[in-house]
Amino acid sequence: MLSRRTFLAAAAAILSLSPGFAEDASIHVMDAYGRTMGGIGASGAAFFTLHNMGATDDRLVAAKADVAQKVELHTHIMDDQGVMKMVEVKEGFPVAAGGMHELKRGADHVMLMGLTTELKDGDSFPLTLVFESGTEVTVEVPIDNARMPAKGEMDHGTGG
Ligand SMILES: [Cu+2]
């Protein structure tokens, strides 16, 4: 009988073998977590830091997940009235060779629209990130609604 701790260690070891951490993947996805704003039909968002370990510039152009009807790349902009709002970023997010790109609250994020699965704290879901180079990286995104915004991050209560 495995102890819970042993089980978690084993689960972590298996996760570390997921494609997102494969040795040959030139894009590393670090510190992924998600937030949800309700049950089925509600929206959610995912945040992480991309690190391009390769020698060529790349760009995150799409994201895919089975847990939502629609997955878009979003950012926040200030409108004419000085109100922050979310907009889709069709051209995606560039990650220069050797560089990083951070997706975080109040800024760039992956938006999950119309959740088809209820996701609560402690749940996780696979998110596939599609890059301009053709590289696809799948990472497991744990839901962490209790996580506080990092210093310098804005939180508008939309979760996105
Ligand atoms: Cu959004």
Side-chain angles (χ1 to χ4, degrees), residues 7-130:
F7 173 77
L8 288 175
I14 290 164
L15 277 181
S16 72
L17 297 174
S18 69
F21 295 87
E23 296 256 325
D24 60 348
S26 56
I27 303 273
H28 284 207
V29 182
M30 298 173 294
D31 194 25
Y33 76 103
R35 287 166 57 78
T36 51
M37 279 65 74
I40 308 268
S43 45
F47 312 94
F48 45 82
T49 299
L50 298 172
H51 188 184
N52 184 351
M53 313 288 281
T56 44
D57 295 350
D58 211 339
R59 178 180 289 269
L60 176 65
V61 291
K64 300 186 280 194
D66 288 340
V67 296
Q69 285 169 357
K70 217 165 158 193
V71 183
E72 293 181 351
L73 303 178
H74 274 195
T75 196
H76 280 90
I77 56 160
M78 189 90 78
D79 73 8
D80 297 344
Q81 274 74 46
V83 177
M84 293 295 284
K85 60 177 190 182
M86 292 197 298
V87 290
E88 186 180 4
V89 184
K90 294 238 193 255
E91 69 274 19
F93 308 129
V95 209
M100 317 237 281
H101 189 97
E102 193 182 357
L103 282 75
K104 59 183 183 178
R105 279 143 80 174
D108 299 343
H109 56 279
V110 169
M111 192 81 198
L112 307 167
M113 300 160 91
L115 293 174
T116 54
T117 306
E118 187 163 4
L119 294 168
K120 298 202 200 84
D121 275 325
D123 293 339
S124 67
F125 67 94
L127 177 71
T128 300
L129 303 176
V130 183

